[in-house]
C-alpha cells in the first residue's frame, strides 16, 4: 500500500482517540438515548370505581372484598424522612413476587382504559426496621379490613407487626407502611396489595398501543419498564440491584395472546372471573408463566394482544416473532426470525455462555418510545426496528433491524444476566451493547462490512457532544443519580467503552444473576491482561488507565511535532476559550494514550503517552499537512481522517480552508465512506451558512463535486433501473441522488419528480425503489406544492408497514411551503395524526429544513408547556428535540432567544432535556464565534474554488 506510510503517521498525528481505541480498547461511542418520565395526571380516585374489583384471596385463604380508596397525600413539607429520599433503604430484600394483572382492552364507564392487579412480594428483613418502603407510581390501592393499603404477614414463627399508618408518597413514588413494631432480621414477610392503574397511551409502565386492522380498532396492552416505570405497573422494589424471582399471571380476553418473560404454562385455560359492573359477568382467559430467573424489575414485560407469530427452534431455544396479524401474514417477521438464531449463537460463543432461557420472543409494537427494549426473554420493538418487507424496506432499514436485534440480544447477558448495580453505570451497559451490536450484525450479514461503520456512526456523534465544556464524564457517582429524571437523562449522550471479549466468560460467570459496578469489569480485564502478558505502561493498571477515560469527560487531541518527534496532549474542546469553564478534573485532563504508527519500514510501532508531553523517537521523516493533503488527493482517503480534519478545524487546531481543501478531490471519489464522512462534515457548513450569501457558491461547488458521482450511478444502474450490488454502494447511490437534487442538478430533479408523479397517477404501483424512497419523496415534495404534499400525507396514512410510513413522515418535512410546514407542525401534537412516539422526531425533521427552522423553533417555544406535560413520556428524546431545533443557531439574537427560553421555562423545566439546553447554549456561542472567524475565508475559498463557467 503506497500511501500506507503517510496515512499511518497521519493517524498518529491527528489520532484523537483512534490510537487509544486500538490498544487500550477504548473507543468512545455515542448513542442518543432518552426517556422522559410520564407526566400524566395520577388516576383520580373515583376513576375505575367499584366496577373493577377483582376477587382477592388472602394467603390465609379467606376472600377479602377490598374497597377502592384514595391515596393519602401527605400534607407535610419535604423532610429528611426516609420516604422523602429517592433511594430505597438497605433494610429489606425481595425474594419473589406473585403477580396477577388484568388489563382491560376496552374503556370502562368513565371512558378510561385501566388495569387491575393483585400482587404479593415475599421479602427478607436484612436490617431491623419498622418501616416498609416499596415503589409505587400512579396506582390506586384497595384498602384491606384494617383500613390500610397493604396487608403484611410473617412467613416465620414470629407474627408480623401491625401497620400503624400507610400512605402514598407521590414525589418519591413510594407506598409507605409505618409499623407498630420492628421487623426481625433474617425473617421473611409477605406483603399483599390490590390495586388499579390506568392503561394510558403514555408509552411507560403498563400502557396501551392502538392500531386499526380491517377497519377495527385494536388495543395492545404492553409495558416499558426501563428505567423506573415497573412501579407504575405494580408495587415493587424498583431498583436494578433488587433482583427477585417473578411468578406472573395475566388475565385477558378470550382468543387474545398473553406474553411475559417466562414461557406460558401448558394450554390457555379459561377462567371465569366475575366483574360486578354494568356489563355483567365476563369470561376471561388466565395465562400463567414459568417463574422467571432471578432478575431486575426494569426487565419485566407483560403483553396482551391479538397478534400472530412465526417461530423456529435453535439449539433448544424457541424463537418467536410476534406482530400484527397482517404483518405476519405478509411475511414481515421472516427476516428477524432468520437472523435471530445465528446472532444468538454468535453471542453464546462470544460470551462463552449459553443463552439462559428456553425461549426468546420478539414483538413489534405500533406505539413504542425507544427503538427496542431488552426485556429478558420478551424483547419489544418499534415496528420499524423489527419488521422487514423486501418490497418496502431499504437496505438501511434492513441494517437497522439486524443491528438492533444484535444490540438487544447482547443485553441478554451483559445487562440482564449480569446487571449494573445502579443507573450511574448505565453507560457501560449501553456502551457495551452499542459496540457488540456491530459484531452481532456482522455475523448476520457478513457481506456488508458493517464494522467499518463504527467510526462514521458513533464516534463522529460523540465527538460533537463530548467536545463541549458542558459535556459530562462517562461515570457518575452513585449518589449523584437519584431522581427518575436524572436517571432518564443518562440515556442521552453517553460515551461508551469497548472491551476485549476474552474476559467475559469469567465476568459473566462470577456475577450471573447478580449486580456489579464498572470496576468489577476492570478487575476481570486486569486478570486477562495478567494471564495474556499484554503490556501496559509500568506502574499502570487497567483501573488507572480506564479511570481517566470514564471519570473525566471529553477526550484528548494529540499533536505531534513532525520535525522533533515531540508529542503533546490537550483536552479537545470545540471552543478552546471555554477551557476555563470546564470543571477541573482529578486527572488534569490528561489521558494515558497508546499511539501506534508505522515506521518507514512499514513496521508497526507503539508507545504510551502517559503525561502531558512525550516523545516519539522513531519519527524522523519530515511530514506536514500539505504533504498529507497531497496523499489524500492522490488516491486513498479514510473516513476517520475527514472527521479528524474537520473537528480539528472547528476547534482551531488547523485552519478551516485547509479542511475544506480535503473535499476537492471528491469529484474523483466513488466510495461511500469518504463521501459520507465529507457530507457529514459539510453539513455543518450548510447549517451555518444556508441562510447566508455563502449558500449560493457552496451549492455551486458541491454541485460540481457531486456531478460525476451522480453520472456514475446512472451508468452502473442502467440509467437508474438496477440496484448497485454492494451495501455501501447502495448507500452512496442515495447520497448521489440526494446531493445532486438538492444542489440543483436538473437531470436529477427531472428524474425524482418524474418518478413521484408517475406514482401519483397510479398510487397502487409505486415505481420508486425502497432504497431511494426517502430521498426521492423528499426531493419531489420539496420541488412540489400542495398536491404533492397531500398525496404524500394520504400515502402516509394508508401505509401498511411502518417503514414506509416513516419514509413519508420524514419527506413531508421537506416542503418549502411555510403554510404546509405549519400545518404539519400542528399535526405533530395530534396523536390521531402523528403517533406520540414520533412527535419530537417529526418536529426535528421540520427544523432540519431551512424553511422550517424558525417555524419549528417558534412552535416548540410556544407549546413547550404542552409538549413537556403531554409528550414527556411519548418522545424518545427531549434532548434530541432541543438539540435538533437549535442546531442552526449561530447569531447573538438566537442565543438571546435560547437563554430567554431557558429562563421562561425554569418553572416547567426541561426534564431529561436539561443538559441539552445548556449544550445548545454552548454550541450556539461556539457557532457565533466560528462564523465570525471563518465566514470571510470560507466565502473567499468557495469563490475561488467554484468552477468558472
Ligand atoms: N435499553 C435500551 C432502550 C431504552 C432506552 C429504554 C432508554 C429506556 C430508556 C435498549 O437496549 C437500546 O439501547 N435501544 C436502542 C437501540 C440500539 C440499537 C441503540 C434504541 O432504542 O434506540
Ligand atoms: Zn441497549
Amino acid at each position: 500500500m503506497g500511501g500506507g506510510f503517510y496515512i499511518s503517521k497521519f493517524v498518529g498525528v491527528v489520532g484523537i482517540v483512534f490510537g487509544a481505541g486500538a490498544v487500550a480498547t477504548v473507543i468512545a461511542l455515542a448513542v442518543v438515548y432518552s426517556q422522559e418520565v410520564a407526566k400524566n395526571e395520577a388516576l383520580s380516585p373515583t376513576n375505575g370505581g367499584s366496577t373493577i374489583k377483582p376477587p382477592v384471596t388472602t394467603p390465609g385463604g379467606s376472600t377479602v372484598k377490598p374497597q377502592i380508596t384514595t391515596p393519602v397525600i401527605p400534607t407535610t413539607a419535604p423532610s429528611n424522612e426516609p420516604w422523602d429520599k429517592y433511594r430505597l433503604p438497605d433494610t429489606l430484600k425481595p425474594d419473589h413476587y406473585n403477580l396477577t394483572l388484568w388489563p382491560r382492552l376496552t374503556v370502562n364507564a368513565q371512558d378510561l382504559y385501566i388495569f387491575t392487579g393483585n400482587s404479593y412480594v415475599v421479602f427478607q428483613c436484612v436490617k431491623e426496621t419498622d418501616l416498609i418502603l416499596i415503589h409505587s407510581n400512579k396506582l390506586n390501592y384497595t384498602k384491606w379490613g384494617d383500613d390500610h393499603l397493604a396487608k403484611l404477614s410473617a412467613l416465620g414463627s414470629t407474627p408480623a407487626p401491625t401497620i400503624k399508618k400507610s400512605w402514598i408518597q407521590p414525589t418519591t413514588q413510594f407506598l409507605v407502611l409505618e409499623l407498630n413494631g420492628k421487623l426481625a432480621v433474617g425473617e421473611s414477610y409477605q406483603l399483599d396489595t390490590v390495586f388499579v392503574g390506568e392503561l394510558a397511551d403514555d408509552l411507560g409502565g403498563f400502557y396501551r398501543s392502538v392500531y386499526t386492522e380491517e377497519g377495527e380498532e385494536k388495543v395492545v396492552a404492553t409495558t416499558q419498564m426501563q428505567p423506573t416505570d415497573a412501579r407504575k405497573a405494580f408495587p415493587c422494589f424498583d431498583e436494578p440491584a433488587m433482583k427477585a424471582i417473578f411468578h406472573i399471571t395475566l388475565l385477558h380476553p378470550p382468543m387474545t395472546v398473553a406474553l411475559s418473560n417466562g414461557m406460558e404454562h401448558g394450554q390457555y385455560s379459561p377462567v371465569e372471573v366475575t366483574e360486578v359492573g354494568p356489563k355483567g359477568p365476563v369470561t376471561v382467559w388466565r395465562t400463567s408463566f414459568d417463574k422467571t430467573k432471578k432478575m431486575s424489575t426494569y426487565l419485566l414485560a407483560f403483553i396482551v394482544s391479538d397478534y400472530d407469530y412465526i417461530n423456529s427452534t435453535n439449539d433448544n431455544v424457541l424463537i418467536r416473532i410476534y406482530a400484527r396479524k397482517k404483518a405476519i401474514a405478509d411475511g414481515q417477521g421472516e427476516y428477524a426470525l432468520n437472523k435471530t438464531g445465528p446472532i444468538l449463537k454468535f453471542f453464546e460463543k462470544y460470551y462463552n455462555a449459553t443463552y439462559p432461557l428456553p425461549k426468546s420472543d420478539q414483538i413489534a409494537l405500533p406505539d413504542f418510545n425507544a427503538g427496542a427494549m431488552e426485556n429478558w426473554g420478551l424483547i419489544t420493538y418499534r415496528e420499524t426496528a423489527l419488521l422487514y418487507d423486501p418490497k418496502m424496506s431499504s437496505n438501511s432499514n434492513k441494517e437497522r433491524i439486524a443491528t438492533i436485534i444484535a444490540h438487544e440480544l447482547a443485553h441478554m447477558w451483559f445487562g440482564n444476566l449480569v446487571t449494573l448495580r445502579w443507573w450511574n453505570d448505565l453507560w457501560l451497559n449501553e456502551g457495551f451493547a452499542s459496540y457488540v451490536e456491530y459484531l452481532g450484525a456482522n455475523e448476520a450479514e457478513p457481506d456488508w462490512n458493517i464494522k467499518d461503520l463504527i467510526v462514521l456512526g458513533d464516534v463522529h456523534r460523540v465527538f460533537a457532544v463530548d467536545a463541549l465544556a458542558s459535556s459530562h464524564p462517562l461515570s457518575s457517582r452513585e449518589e449523584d443519580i437519584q431522581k427518575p429524571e436524572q436517571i432518564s437523562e443518562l440515556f442521552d449522550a453517553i460515551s461508551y467503552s469497548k472491551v476485549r471479549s476474552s474476559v467475559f466468560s469469567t465476568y459473566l460467570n462470577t456475577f450471573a444473576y447478580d449486580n456489579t459496578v464498572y470496576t468489577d469489569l476492570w478487575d476481570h480485564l486486569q486478570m486477562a491482561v495478567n494471564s495474556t502478558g499484554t503490556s501496559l505502561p509500568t506502574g499502570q493498571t487497567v483501573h488507572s488507565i480506564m479511570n481517566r477515560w470514564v471519570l473525566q469527560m471529553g477526550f484528548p487531541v494529540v499533536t505531534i511535532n513532525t520535525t522533533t518527534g515531540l508529542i503533546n496532549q490537550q483536552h479537545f474542546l470545540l471552543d478552546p476559550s471555554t477551557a476555563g469553564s470546564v470543571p477541573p478534573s482529578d486527572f488534569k485532563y490528561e489521558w494515558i494514550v497508546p499511539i501506534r504508527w508505522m515506521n518507514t519500514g512499514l513496521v508497526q510501532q507503539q508507545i504510551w503517552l502517559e503525561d502531558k508531553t512525550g516523545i516519539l523517537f522513531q519519527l524522523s521523516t519530515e511530514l506536514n499537512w500539505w504533504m498529507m493533503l497531497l496523499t489524500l488527493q492522490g488516491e486513498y482517503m479514510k473516513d476517520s481522517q475527514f472527521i479528524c480534519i474537520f473537528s480539528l478545524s472547528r476547534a482551531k487546531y488547523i485552519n478551516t480552508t485547509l479542511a475544506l481543501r480535503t473535499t476537492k478531490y471528491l469529484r474523483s471519489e466513488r466510495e461511500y465512506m469518504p463521501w459520507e464522512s465529507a457530507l457529514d462534515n459539510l453539513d455543518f457548513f450548510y447549517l451555518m451558512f444556508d441562510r447566508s450569501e455563502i449558500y449560493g457558491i457552496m451549492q455551486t461547488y458541491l454541485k460540481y463535486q457531486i456531478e460525476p458521482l451522480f453520472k456514475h450511478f446512472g451508468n452502473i444502474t442502467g440509467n437508474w433501473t438496477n440496484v448497485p450490488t454492494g451495501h455501501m454502494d447502495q448507500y452512496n447511490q442515495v447520497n448521489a441522488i440526494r446531493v445532486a437534487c438538492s444542489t440543483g442538478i436538473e437531470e436529477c430533479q427531472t428524474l425524482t419528480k418524474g418518478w413521484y408523479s408517475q406514482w401519483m397517477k397510479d398510487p397502487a404501483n409505486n415505481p420508486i425503489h425502497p432504497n431511494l424512497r426517502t430521498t426521492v419523496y423528499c426531493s419531489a415534495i420539496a420541488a412540489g406544492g400542495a398536491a404533492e404534499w397531500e398525496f404524500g400525507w394520504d400515502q402516509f396514512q394508508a401505509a401498511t408497514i411502518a417503514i414506509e410510513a416513516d419514509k413519508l413522515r420524514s419527506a413531508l418535512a421537506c416542503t418549502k411551503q411555510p403554510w404546509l410546514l405549519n400545518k404539519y407542525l400542528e399535526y405533530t401534537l395530534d396523536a390521531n395524526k402523528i403517533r406520540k412516539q414520533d412527535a419530537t422526531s417529526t418536529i426535528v425533521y421540520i427544523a432540519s429544513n431551512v424553511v422550517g427552522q424558525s417555524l419549528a423553533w417558534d412552535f416548540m417555544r410556544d407549546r413547550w408547556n404542552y409538549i413537556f406535560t403531554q409528550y414527556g413520556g411519548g418522545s424518545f428524546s427531549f434532548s434530541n428535540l432541543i438539540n435538533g431545533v437549535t442546531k442552526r443557531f449561530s447569531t447573538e439574537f438566537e442565543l438571546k432567544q435560547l437563554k430567554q427560553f431557558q429562563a421562561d421555562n425554569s418553572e416547567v423545566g426541561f426534564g431529561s432535556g436539561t443538559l441539552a439546553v445548556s449544550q445548545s447554549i454552548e454550541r450556539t456561542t461556539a457557532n457565533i464565534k466560528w462564523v465570525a472567524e471563518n465566514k470571510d475565508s470560507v466565502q473567499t475559498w468557495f469563490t475561488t474554488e467554484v468552477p468558472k463557467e
Side-chain angles (χ1 to χ4, degrees), residues 31-35 224-227 298 368-374 400 403-405 407-408 411 426 429-430 433-434 437 488 491 876:
V31 174
V32 177
Y33 290 101
S34 156
Q35 208 212 14
Q224 169 58 42
M225 307 306 200
Q226 196 186 15
Y298 81 88
F368 190 74
N369 194 13
M373 175 65 212
E374 70 268 25
R400 170 150 161 93
T403 49
I404 203 160
I405 290 176
H407 179 109
E408 305 312 334
H411 278 312
L426 173 100
N429 192 22
E430 290 304 343
S434 295
E437 73 183 46
S488 293
F491 286 88
F876 180 53

Side-chain angles (χ1 to χ4, degrees), residues 734-782:
V734 177
N735 277 340
I737 296 181
R738 178 168 59 85
V739 178
C741 278
S742 71
T743 55
I745 291 183
E746 226 167 276
E747 200 186 325
C748 180
Q749 294 176 338
T750 314
L751 187 72
T752 58
K753 278 194 283 194
W755 277 333
Y756 196 80
S757 64
Q758 194 184 330
W759 186 31
M760 282 175 76
K761 282 190 204 107
D762 183 6
N765 292 303
N766 187 337
I768 310 160
H769 189 276
N771 284 355
L772 309 181
R773 284 186 187 173
T774 302
T775 205
V776 170
Y777 294 169
C778 175
S779 132
I781 287 173

Side-chain angles (χ1 to χ4, degrees), residues 446-501:
D447 302 337
W448 287 357
N449 296 328
I450 272 183
K451 288 195 265 184
D452 293 352
L453 296 173
I454 297 183
V455 174
L456 267 185
D458 288 325
V459 177
H460 195 195
R461 252 199 297 177
V462 78
F463 274 16
V465 178
D466 209 15
L468 295 173
S470 53
S471 186
H472 61 87
L474 272 173
S475 183
S476 319
R477 290 185 313 167
E478 184 164 340
E479 54 277 24
D480 290 342
I481 305 298
Q482 300 265 341
K483 302 181 189 179
E485 54 270 33
Q486 290 170 330
I487 297 169
S488 293
E489 193 159 41
L490 290 174
F491 286 88
D492 275 3
I494 319 169
S495 314
Y496 292 167
S497 167
K498 166 193 163 190
V499 227
R500 273 193 213 289
S501 61

